[in-house]
Amino acid sequence: MTQPVSETALKRLRAVAKVKVFPDASRIIPKRTLLQAVRRSDILFCLLHDKIDRAVVTANPQLRLIAAQSITPSNIDVAAATEQRIPVTVTAPITTEATADLNFGLMLAVARRILEGDRAVRAGKFPGGQSAYLMGSYVWGKTIGLIGGGGLIGKAVARRAHGFSMRVLYWTPRRKSESEERESGLTYMSLHSPLNAQTRHQIGARELRLMKKTAFLINTARGAIVDETALVRALQNKAIAGAGLDVFEHEPKVDKRLKAMANAVLTPHLGSATPEVREAMAKIVVDNILAFLEGRKLPNCVNPQVFAL
């Protein structure tokens, strides 16, 4: 197990297996440590941020299962696992509401300059209750545009936006039905997209130029959807007003220029970081592992063809 998860999940696993856990939840397991652990394990319980590449997949010919605590296997070399006849399992899409909460939190933080205000108070600066020193922007009554916004997270953000009397625009490759648009209060226009070859750098220099100078970019989907170099330039040149980012193109590395910007609010991929969600996700991973050990059909297998090889 590449990082600690809920005690409930650990207890269930320890009842059927010897469990080795990388104990430091504050950092991603080093590659060398991961490889050493995989060589001594039958099953790998990994998290979204772990890079399970070909080297990891092939490190142990006796590796029997890769069970990921993530909704998609975007950081796993599924092709390599399939070649090795190793099933890969994921979790159900249960991070919707938690990620939508964080999305709205980032929007409010960057628009109202909350982090800058916090740092000012901690530094002993208090310019006064009606000072123009930290003037922010309204969120109430503004327009929010959701790219890939017809999905679960996009619609959850839309529900929150209606509470702020926002006009909600969305775009997705396949337009929703009129009844769905009406139910969710969405208006179709030509960053909750899945990360794939088509959506990498979906938001680049051209798209950023199309945004208003008063606009804020919020990304709680996947980092590489945004061309981070183009975003840095747009923020430096004040082409847009700010950004709230929970994901980064090269995470865990974060561009040092972003770290230096007062108009960027940065969080370390906290979208699903609530006890309730993480408990539920770990439960699903354990369900997958127990189903595998008991010879039952895997409920969340992304490469079921391995069983026919």
Side-chain angles (χ1 to χ4, degrees), residues 20 116 134 193 216 307:
K20 175 75 172 178
E116 292 176 79
L134 284 173
S193 305
F216 300 95
F307 297 106

Side-chain angles (χ1 to χ4, degrees), residues 163-292:
F164 279 71
S165 292
M166 300 183 83
R167 180 187 179 215
V168 182
L169 310 180
Y170 85 104
W171 175 87
T172 187
R174 289 177 292 278
R175 183 174 180 174
K176 298 297 178 183
S177 67
E178 186 177 333
S179 61
E180 284 184 281
E181 289 181 349
R182 186 167 55 251
E183 180 183 349
S184 298
L186 299 169
T187 300
Y188 184 77
M189 300 292 285
S190 173
L191 279 174
H192 298 94
S193 305
L195 176 57
N196 53 43
Q198 288 71 46
T199 60
R200 182 174 294 277
H201 286 189
Q202 190 175 36
I203 305 300
R206 174 185 175 274
E207 290 74 23
L208 291 164
R209 282 196 300 270
L210 293 172
M211 295 172 67
K212 293 180 178 180
K213 289 189 175 183
T214 54
F216 300 95
L217 175 72
I218 311 296
N219 189 5
T220 57
R222 290 290 184 268
I225 289 172
V226 176
D227 181 341
E228 213 161 85
T229 300
L231 175 60
V232 166
R233 283 198 297 266
L235 291 170
Q236 288 175 333
N237 298 333
K238 300 191 181 338
I240 62 173
L245 307 173
D246 185 47
V247 290
F248 304 89
E249 186 171 358
H250 305 291
E251 62 183 67
K253 295 179 181 178
V254 178
D255 192 307
K256 62 183 180 182
R257 295 171 296 178
L258 282 174
K259 293 180 184 179
M261 291 178 179
N263 60 341
V265 176
L266 316 174
T267 53
H269 209 142
L270 299 177
S272 66
T274 69
E276 299 88 347
V277 172
R278 293 289 174 78
E279 175 86 23
M281 294 182 80
K283 177 182 182 297
I284 293 172
V285 181
V286 175
D287 289 343
N288 287 328
I289 292 172
L290 295 182
F292 177 78

